[in-house]
């Protein structure tokens, strides 16, 4: 052994001593030889030749995975997103019918809105309750809610109503009955609205539409099928009529105050909550007796209690689903207890449908009034024959 070989012995010994061990099985390890170390170093220095990099495992946290899954689900469902609640309830304009019910308003709802105000043609405010309840109000009141004051559909409805149900016909009923109309435009347009429709009944305005909302009436521009009360008038006719009326109001500044064009209305019949035919109204003789009872000089009329106002509730109602979906005349006359079916129309097919279809919900006092009229007729006939 030469001196050069002896000088290399410590170095090789150190390599053997410090060489790492590799596992051969679960519990066995063997030292690597010097050549093994050199081979490993050569492979590390030349990764592009034979050694391929090991794949890196995904180490996403649960929060990251959740975010990624949400993002993927959103991206997947975005093109077919579900329609909003408003689109579900109110379909696109001019298509189908809006979803609404004809449930009768509750007593709680009526008490909530009884102090809401409406305006007459002079701009004077009245409580909503004063239209159907009070000392001098009729016992039965049908309140018709129409659309804006330029709506040709509702104007045709009031023209047909005026031809079918007159004030004289209502006076012939055994129980006092009346009709009132409410629109959602400015009160300054009421006079021109009455002239346009020839409506003999009082017309009021609710520009805020609060009554419409509280009573469950909806907003839509859907047309729906043409009703019989349109009297054969086409859509073009009603639209042009509304535009002409609007142009007439340009100088007055009321052209944009006709009301919410999307708001639709309905019909609500207010009758005594007791549903009894007996009237609580006192006679003039009763009032005279009350005056004679004032024996003290200090007694003043202001201190006396007014007769109790008869409580009313809605016994029948109908809410529009489209812009021309008012209850037809045969149904209104039936609910009010009037004889006949109203003024017939030329369109026999639509008129036949109007005679058979009933849109509203509820039970009015008409059946009781009918029996009362029959009893009165029998009694009168018997006395005449006697």
């Amino acid at each position: 052994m030469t001196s050069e070989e002896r000088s290399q012995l410590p170095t090789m010994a150190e390599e053997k001593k410090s060489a790492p061990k590799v596992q051969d099985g679960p519990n066995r390890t063997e030292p690597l030889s010097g050549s093994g170390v050199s081979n490993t170093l050569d492979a590390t220095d030349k990764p592009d030749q034979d050694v391929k990099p090991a794949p890196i495992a995904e180490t996403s946290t649960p929060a990251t995975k959740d975010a990624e899954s949400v993002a993927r689900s959103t991206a997947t469902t975005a093109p077919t997103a579900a329609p909003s609640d408003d689109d579900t309830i109110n379909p696109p304009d001019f298509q189908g019918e809006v979803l609404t019910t004809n449930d009768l308003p509750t007593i709680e709802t009526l008490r909530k809105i009884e102090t809401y105000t409406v305006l007459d043609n002079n701009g004077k405010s009245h409580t909503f309750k004063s239209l159907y309840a009070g000392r001098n109000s009729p016992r039965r009141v049908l309140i018709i809610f129409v659309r804006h004051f330029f709506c040709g559909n509702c104007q045709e409805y009031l023209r047909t109503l005026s031809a079918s149900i007159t004030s004289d016909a209502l006076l012939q009923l055994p129980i006092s009955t009346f009709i009132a109309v409410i629109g959602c435009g400015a009160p300054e347009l009421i006079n021109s609205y009455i002239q346009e429709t020839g409506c003999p009944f009082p017309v009021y305005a609710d520009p805020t539409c609060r009554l419409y909302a509280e009573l469950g009436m909806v907003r839509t521009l859907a047309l729906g099928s043409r009703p019989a009360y349109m009297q054969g008038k086409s859509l073009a006719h009603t639209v042009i009529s509304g535009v002409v009326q609007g142009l007439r109001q340009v100088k007055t500044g009321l052209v944009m105050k006709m009301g919410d064009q999307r708001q639709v209305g309905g019909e609500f019949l207010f009758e005594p909550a007791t549903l009894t035919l007996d009237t609580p109204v006192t006679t003039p003789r009763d009032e005279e007796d009350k005056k004679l009872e004032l024996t003290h000089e200090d007694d003043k009329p202001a201190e006396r209690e007014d007769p109790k106002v008869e409580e009313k509730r809605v016994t029948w109602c109908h809410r529009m689903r489209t812009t021309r979906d008012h209850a037809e005349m045969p149904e209104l006359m039936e609910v009010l207890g009037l004889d006949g079916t109203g003024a017939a129309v030329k369109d026999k097919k639509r008129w036949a449908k109007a005679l058979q279809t009933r849109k509203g919900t509820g039970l009015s006092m008409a059946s009781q009034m009918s029996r009362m009229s029959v009893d009165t007729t029998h009694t009168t006939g018997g006395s005449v024959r006697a």
Side-chain angles (χ1 to χ4, degrees), residues 153-359:
N153 299 331
C154 290
Q155 291 177 5
E156 285 298 326
Y157 183 69
L158 291 184
R159 293 188 187 101
T160 305
L161 175 74
S162 303
S164 303
I165 304 176
T166 63
S167 300
D168 292 339
L170 295 177
L171 291 175
Q172 300 301 318
L173 294 174
I175 300 179
S176 57
T177 306
F178 201 58
I179 296 177
V181 179
I182 297 178
C184 61
E188 294 86 352
L189 292 171
I190 291 179
N191 288 334
S192 61
Y193 190 75
I194 293 176
Q195 292 178 358
E196 190 69 30
T197 60
C199 180
F201 307 110
V203 180
Y204 300 90
D206 174 26
T208 64
C209 292
R210 291 198 303 168
L211 288 172
Y212 289 79
E214 293 293 342
L215 289 173
M217 287 168 276
V218 296
R219 300 174 67 249
T220 182
L221 288 177
L223 291 173
S225 59
R226 184 189 300 176
Y229 64 78
M230 291 296 296
Q231 298 287 350
K233 298 295 191 305
S234 64
L235 175 62
H237 179 275
T238 56
V239 171
I240 293 175
S241 175
V243 171
V244 171
Q245 295 176 45
L247 293 176
R248 293 174 184 169
Q249 300 296 333
V250 172
K251 294 182 179 180
T252 63
L254 299 174
V255 63
M256 301 302 293
K257 296 185 178 181
M258 69 284 196
D260 187 350
Q261 297 184 51
R262 291 176 175 269
Q263 184 66 65
V264 296
E267 302 82 38
F268 297 80
L269 178 61
F270 289 81
E271 293 184 318
T274 58
L275 296 179
T276 58
L277 299 177
D278 298 333
T279 175
V281 179
T282 57
T283 63
R285 179 66 181 176
D286 295 331
E287 296 294 332
E288 187 67 23
D289 292 341
K290 288 183 179 180
K291 293 180 180 179
L292 295 176
E293 291 176 359
L294 297 178
T295 57
H296 300 287
E297 295 182 357
D298 295 337
D299 290 340
K300 298 180 180 180
E303 296 178 356
R304 291 177 293 165
E305 295 183 359
D306 291 335
K308 184 179 179 181
V309 175
E310 187 176 27
E311 186 175 2
K312 305 289 182 63
R313 66 183 179 92
V314 177
T315 59
W316 175 91
C317 76
H318 163 252
R319 297 177 181 87
M320 298 172 63
R321 298 173 183 267
T322 67
T323 58
R324 46 186 185 181
D325 186 39
H326 281 289
E328 296 278 10
M329 292 304 117
E331 183 174 8
L332 282 190
M333 298 187 68
E334 178 182 292
V335 169
L336 293 175
L338 295 169
D339 295 331
T341 55
V345 299
K346 297 180 180 180
D347 193 328
K348 301 301 180 182
K349 181 178 180 180
R350 289 188 172 88
W351 180 243
K353 182 179 179 181
L355 291 173
Q356 299 175 0
T357 305
R358 295 297 178 264
K359 299 179 179 180

Side-chain angles (χ1 to χ4, degrees), residues 80-96:
T80 58
S84 62
D85 292 340
D86 184 67
D87 291 338
T88 303
I89 297 175
N90 296 333
D93 294 343
F94 309 110
Q95 296 182 12

Side-chain angles (χ1 to χ4, degrees), residues 15 22 52 65 71 76 92 138 202 288 302-303 309 315 323 330 340 342 362 373:
E15 289 181 358
V22 296
K52 296 181 181 180
K65 292 182 178 179
T76 303
E288 187 67 23
E303 296 178 356
V309 175
T315 59
T323 58
S373 299

